[in-house]
Amino acid sequence: MSDSKDIYYIPHGTKWPIVGSIGMFLLMVGASNWLNGSDSAQYMLYAGLLILIFMMFGWFGLVIRESQQGMYNAQVDVSFRMGMVWFIFSEVMFFAVFFGVLLYTRMLVMPWLGGEGVGIATGQYLWSGFEAVWPNNGPANLGGDFDIIPAFDVPLLNTLILLTSGFTLTMAHWALNKGNQRKLVMWMVATVLLGIAFLFYQVEEYIHAYTELGLTMGSGIYGSTFFMLTGFHGFHVTLGTIMLIVIAVRCAKGHFSKENHFAFEGVAWYWHFVDVVWLALFVFVYVV
Amino acid sequence: MTTTTHEDHNEEDHHDHKPQGFLNRWVYSTNHKDIGTLYLVFALLMFFIGGAMAMIIRAELFMPGMQLVQPEFFNQMTTVHALVMVFGAVMPAFVGFANWMIPLMIGAPDMALPRMNNWSFWILPFAFTMLVSTLFMDGGAPAGGWTLYPPLVLQTGDSFIFAMFAIHMLGISSIMGAINVIATILNMRAPGMTLLRMPLFVWTWLITAFLLIAVMPVLAGAVTMLITDRFFLTSFFNAAGGGDPVLFQHIFWFFGHPEVYIMILPAFGIISEIIPTFARKPLFGYTSMVYATASIAFLSFIVWAHHMFTVGMPLGAEIYFMLATMMISIPTGVKVFNWIATMWRGSMTFETPMLFALGFVVLFTIGGFSGLMLAIVPADFQYHDTYFVVAHFHYVLVTGSVFALMAGTYYWLPKWTGHMYNERLGKWHFWLSVVFVNVLFFPQHYLGLAGMPRRIPDYSPQFADFNMLSSIGGFAFGLTQLMFVYIVWKCARGGETATAQVWEGAKGLEWTVPSPAPFHTFETPPKIDDSVVAHGDHM
């Protein structure tokens, strides 16, 4: 890695972006037609997904090779870092929407539907018997009666799992900085396993909710917010775990040095972000 | 055409390693100038597609009664016209300017993340293929308005999900583009190009990029909830399940208000480059312009509900949003004042870019004033959803954003092509545009004040005269824009050779490189010399 700021680095052109666009296009058109009722369209969706995965292997592979050849200078490293930070900021805003929805419905919509404030006519004439208590599936009792998942049960366990994974990841970072290859890989494997354990328990909870508690996405606003928040979080944990696996493999191959390990740090930032989102989820979705 | 331009190039630039072949040059590109050109050409194409829809709207409204199209199709036109113009024309056009000019203005060799830059662009044609294809589907294109309010939008036919996914793709493209702009400005400035020496266009884009990253995910969240409400049984916007359709409006406008500033802040930047050049004076109040831009961006996050005064909010919320909205006129007033003060006792000339910039200052200010009227809650109860609103946002978007885009195009076209455009035709383009755009939109103020609702294909006979006038203005304005294509096309093919500085009063790094700008510029960082920098502390 050269620290010269005098010579700029511009990467050569590549086919990967256009491959990605084609993959995304097939994925989206396939998904659209499938949702509109055409069963054969799912194959278009799968094709798009495969092309996107192919694109990621190709594009990331290219960048990793160039990085290993020492083509990136310190300035490129900073650009990558800024890119990752601002990407995570966009993710924060994405989750903020759903937290906002949860707070808005609990603090405002519920009381209004119950007849408070500007909702006085609603309460009197439309749904007079409605009790605005949380959890709630609305005046029409959409999805039928349901039970909720208690916070201090598996969700607490999952909280501890994710917090521990943040710790093991930091230990891996220390090992990397000390140049201890064996410990680095060990802590990375531990982090990946914790991520997988979290996902395992999350899937168990979903099955439990659907089959025994009667809690589904159709369970009114509670089911909507619960599954949207935990679902998108679980999706991000899945992505994060895949990213961690890639990084663990690259650690084992000795790709990173104390001075040069942006990819490791980028994924670590992402993992901590997913961790923090879960803490907010645990408090606002499960506990409060 | 290419042979002549190539010979011109070779004089000045021996390192011109353009990739050979269409795929290599344009599709796999990592060159900020080529990607900028792609954005600009794409935006121009979308401008005419969206414009054609506007022509259909104005043709139907030429007379009272139903004559040309079905009401359902009329609604599709208003909806898709808006989506195409916002996401396909204005936003990509500004990103095209950012691509071309930001590296040249800060002395960088390219954007910070050139491959991602390529992807940001190449998502757009696919997304718009999806969106525009909905016109040919069962039930037609989305017809519930570009604001996508549920429950109406949930009744859209097959096209619903295509439009939603198209918006998701546009969001991905915008976020990547914005990340690139921020990383470029913060990381790629030549040594000595301090933040408070950056051209104002760069400053406005830095703040715009922040707005984009902050609010495009919010739109994505809103669209995702629409999709799950439609297909996966959720009840976010369904009161029977404990949700609330008004919640969608809050989320949409939390995106939507910063979005309108995303479309105007870079316009402020362009105007702030042009006026000093043709007034031959430094920009008046440079730092106050920077702070005003930041203030406008901050305020844009806390005023959203002025779009929904009539929806039934608590009184306290109405008063708060009214007052917060009015505060925006303070930093905006600072800007208009500074532009005028820049011209004060300047030695002015009136080439086409300056004409469009002056048109911008006057007409955008009119749009600002009608916005101030709309901010007043009791007045808005009367104006809401009338043609007054249509007139207002077309003054800020057409005579605001689009005029700035025209101004910027004429201003930098010699730098891009190496040729001067035809000044006489450019002036004709301006005068025809400025006359007919007012014939088109000014009567709509009166229509709105008299109570004509927007998004309705038929109207009561008392609105006939103003509508006919508006339609005539619309057709003429639309035709006039064909001149723009002709002028740009001719300029790209040839014309009087442009000097490096192009304009006598022009300052800034982009004028230190030859015209046309070589394929690669600033491969080693330029020396920043106070005499070439447009703005800054040294003034």
Side-chain angles (χ1 to χ4, degrees):
Chain A
M1 188 157 101
S2 127
D3 51 8
S4 159
K5 267 212 155 193
D6 291 344
I7 299 156
Y8 286 121
Y9 170 76
I10 305 171
H12 63 80
T14 134
K15 64 174 184 277
W16 296 117
I18 191 74
V19 171
S21 292
I22 293 168
M24 191 189 278
F25 181 69
L26 291 178
L27 177 76
M28 294 298 188
V29 174
S32 300
N33 280 321
W34 195 10
L35 285 171
N36 280 342
S38 153
D39 272 340
S40 57
Q42 57 181 297
Y43 300 108
M44 195 186 212
L45 182 154
Y46 302 142
L49 205 56
L50 282 177
I51 294 174
L52 270 180
I53 292 169
F54 171 65
M55 178 276 280
M56 285 188 198
F57 268 95
W59 196 335
F60 284 115
L62 174 68
V63 173
I64 290 169
R65 276 194 305 283
E66 288 178 354
S67 167
Q68 292 309 109
Q69 288 162 11
M71 287 165 73
Y72 297 160
N73 59 25
Q75 193 177 29
V76 175
D77 194 64
V78 174
S79 289
F80 282 166
R81 280 161 196 276
M82 286 182 175
M84 193 67 196
V85 167
W86 287 101
F87 167 66
I88 290 174
F89 174 63
S90 78
E91 292 272 49
V92 169
M93 292 306 294
F94 185 70
F95 276 101
V97 179
F98 301 119
F99 280 108
V101 167
L102 182 66
L103 294 180
Y104 184 88
T105 43
R106 286 189 64 170
M107 307 307 292
L108 295 171
V109 179
M110 276 299 129
W112 286 339
L113 282 175
E116 273 184 40
V118 292
I120 186 159
T122 314
Q124 248 170 18
Y125 300 110
L126 210 47
W127 287 309
S128 55
F130 178 66
E131 254 190 284
V133 290
W134 193 258
N136 205 302
N137 57 353
N141 193 30
L142 286 188
D145 293 338
F146 64 92
D147 284 317
I148 62 168
I149 294 169
F152 295 100
D153 198 323
V154 178
L156 179 64
L157 176 65
N158 261 349
T159 309
L160 295 176
I161 288 175
L162 271 194
L163 285 176
T164 313
S165 76
F167 171 75
T168 55
L169 188 56
T170 305
M171 292 307 286
H173 200 175
W174 280 18
L176 173 59
N177 282 340
K178 289 207 173 113
N180 189 331
Q181 170 80 2
R182 198 181 58 82
K183 279 195 174 169
L184 165 63
V185 175
M186 191 192 82
W187 286 116
M188 281 306 293
V189 170
T191 312
V192 169
L193 289 178
L194 286 166
I196 293 171
F198 175 90
L199 287 170
F200 171 79
Y201 284 119
Q202 191 72 3
V203 171
E204 284 278 281
E205 286 291 274
Y206 275 16
I207 294 171
H208 180 57
Y210 262 79
T211 55
E212 288 158 46
L213 299 177
L215 172 61
T216 69
M217 280 187 95
S219 299
I221 191 65
Y222 185 86
S224 306
T225 50
F226 177 83
F227 282 103
M228 190 65 100
L229 277 161
T230 58
F232 266 112
H233 178 262
F235 175 63
H236 281 76
V237 175
T238 312
L239 288 183
T241 307
I242 294 170
M243 286 152 72
L244 283 172
I245 291 172
V246 173
I247 294 300
V249 171
R250 292 190 63 194
C251 287
K253 284 187 173 176
H255 277 187
F256 301 122
S257 64
K258 181 174 191 268
E259 296 77 26
N260 191 5
H261 57 268
F262 156 71
F264 182 98
E265 283 187 71
V267 171
W269 296 338
Y270 191 79
W271 192 254
H272 291 314
F273 151 72
V274 169
D275 208 348
V276 169
V277 171
W278 175 263
L279 290 179
L281 260 174
F282 183 65
V283 172
F284 290 108
V285 175
Y286 290 102
V287 177
V288 183
Chain B
M1 114 196 197
T2 40
T3 45
T4 49
T5 37
H6 266 254
E7 279 160 21
D8 291 350
H9 281 207
N10 292 340
E11 295 294 297
E12 286 154 344
D13 143 41
H14 303 284
H15 308 284
D16 198 359
H17 303 300
K18 285 199 186 79
Q20 297 304 307
F22 181 83
L23 273 183
N24 281 323
R25 172 85 194 268
W26 299 106
V27 183
Y28 302 163
S29 178
T30 48
N31 182 284
H32 74 101
K33 301 185 186 79
D34 280 356
I35 295 171
T37 304
L38 286 171
Y39 265 112
L40 290 170
V41 171
F42 178 81
L44 191 61
L45 178 70
M46 286 293 136
F47 180 61
F48 279 93
I49 291 178
M53 294 173 190
M55 294 299 107
I56 294 172
I57 293 168
R58 280 322 315 171
E60 175 57 51
L61 293 174
F62 190 76
M63 288 188 302
M66 299 300 303
Q67 40 263 326
L68 286 173
V69 297
Q70 296 300 309
E72 175 69 13
F73 186 72
F74 182 90
N75 292 342
Q76 293 171 29
M77 286 295 103
T78 55
T79 304
V80 184
H81 162 74
L83 288 170
V84 164
M85 287 303 202
V86 169
F87 292 106
V90 174
M91 287 170 70
F94 281 124
V95 182
F97 275 88
N99 258 293
W100 250 103
M101 300 320 299
I102 288 174
L104 284 179
M105 287 175 150
I106 62 174
D110 207 297
M111 299 293 277
L113 302 158
R115 287 176 183 149
M116 194 170 82
N117 196 22
N118 173 312
W119 203 23
S120 304
F121 171 76
W122 276 107
I123 287 173
L124 292 181
F126 293 93
F128 277 94
T129 305
M130 272 184 89
L131 185 65
V132 176
S133 72
T134 60
L135 283 165
F136 309 100
M137 284 176 190
D138 271 359
W146 84 285
T147 49
L148 309 170
Y149 285 0
L152 182 59
V153 74
L154 297 174
Q155 297 164 20
T156 309
D158 282 357
S159 63
F160 169 80
I161 189 69
F162 285 87
M164 296 298 117
F165 281 146
I167 290 170
H168 268 314
M169 288 169 76
L170 298 173
I172 293 167
S173 159
S174 291
I175 290 168
M176 289 196 299
I179 288 174
N180 221 333
V181 167
I182 291 194
T184 305
I185 296 173
L186 295 184
N187 192 35
M188 303 289 280
R189 278 171 291 126
M193 177 56 77
T194 55
L195 284 175
L196 282 177
R197 275 181 174 180
M198 294 196 309
L200 212 70
F201 178 69
V202 180
W203 257 113
T204 52
W205 243 113
L206 179 65
I207 291 164
T208 301
F210 171 76
L211 292 181
L212 274 167
I213 303 177
V215 301
M216 290 312 286
V218 175
L219 177 66
V223 163
T224 304
M225 286 185 281
L226 286 178
I227 293 172
T228 59
D229 265 17
R230 165 82 177 249
F231 292 103
F232 302 107
L233 303 172
T234 58
S235 315
F236 290 109
F237 309 127
N238 176 7
D244 185 355
V246 176
L247 171 59
F248 177 87
Q249 300 186 19
H250 281 294
I251 300 168
F252 181 86
W253 287 113
F254 186 84
F255 146 79
H257 203 76
E259 166 68 18
V260 301
Y261 292 163
I262 286 164
M263 292 189 284
I264 201 65
L265 292 183
F268 291 166
I270 292 175
I271 300 305
S272 305
E273 301 301 325
I274 292 174
I275 289 181
T277 295
F278 294 97
R280 291 166 182 78
K281 274 179 64 194
L283 185 68
F284 183 88
Y286 167 78
T287 35
S288 72
M289 285 297 221
V290 173
Y291 291 128
T293 311
S295 310
I296 292 171
F298 168 74
L299 289 171
S300 76
F301 284 105
I302 55 169
V303 296
W304 73 88
H306 62 217
H307 295 269
M308 15 186 315
F309 279 148
T310 59
V311 83
M313 280 187 297
L315 181 63
E318 307 249 314
I319 292 171
Y320 160 74
F321 282 109
M322 169 169 77
L323 295 176
T325 302
M326 289 176 165
M327 273 165 54
I328 300 171
S329 52
I330 297 167
T332 313
V334 168
K335 282 183 169 292
V336 175
F337 178 85
N338 284 347
W339 289 323
I340 294 168
T342 304
M343 290 184 271
W344 178 252
R345 306 179 82 176
S347 40
M348 307 243 286
T349 50
F350 299 93
E351 287 86 344
T352 312
M354 185 62 164
L355 290 176
F356 271 102
L358 293 174
F360 172 97
V361 173
V362 174
L363 297 175
F364 173 79
T365 303
I366 292 179
F369 282 139
S370 58
L372 202 52
M373 290 168 73
L374 286 161
I376 302 165
V377 172
D380 183 75
F381 278 23
Q382 169 73 15
Y383 308 150
H384 185 86
D385 254 344
T386 68
Y387 258 85
F388 190 80
V389 178
V390 177
H392 158 70
F393 68 69
H394 281 97
Y395 263 84
V396 288
L397 271 173
V398 181
T399 58
S401 305
V402 174
F403 267 36
L405 288 165
M406 300 287 181
T409 305
Y410 285 113
Y411 186 54
W412 285 305
L413 200 54
K415 180 56 63 188
W416 299 339
T417 64
H419 307 295
M420 299 305 289
Y421 59 88
N422 185 326
E423 187 65 55
R424 205 164 57 89
L425 283 182
K427 285 189 168 128
W428 269 104
H429 175 221
F430 168 74
W431 286 111
L432 290 173
S433 291
V434 80
V435 168
F436 287 123
V437 85
N438 283 293
V439 177
L440 164 58
F441 292 121
F442 208 82
Q444 295 182 2
H445 289 114
Y446 299 114
L447 287 170
L449 292 175
M452 177 172 162
R454 62 191 283 212
R455 292 170 170 167
I456 305 284
D458 192 4
Y459 50 83
S460 179
Q462 77 262 28
F463 303 130
D465 292 348
F466 277 136
N467 266 297
M468 189 177 284
L469 190 61
S470 175
S471 286
I472 291 168
F475 302 142
F477 180 72
L479 281 176
T480 304
Q481 301 323 305
L482 296 175
M483 281 184 74
F484 178 65
V485 180
Y486 177 77
I487 294 167
V488 171
W489 175 247
K490 287 294 279 184
C491 179
R493 289 175 63 106
E496 189 192 329
T497 307
T499 62
Q501 200 194 5
V502 182
W503 310 109
E504 185 192 44
K507 279 198 166 187
L509 283 178
E510 79 262 38
W511 308 110
T512 63
V513 302
S515 304
F519 194 65
H520 292 297
T521 35
F522 301 130
E523 282 170 295
T524 50
K527 289 265 176 293
I528 304 296
D529 178 352
D530 273 0
S531 67
V532 298
V533 179
H535 311 292
D537 299 333
H538 61 284
M539 290 294 180

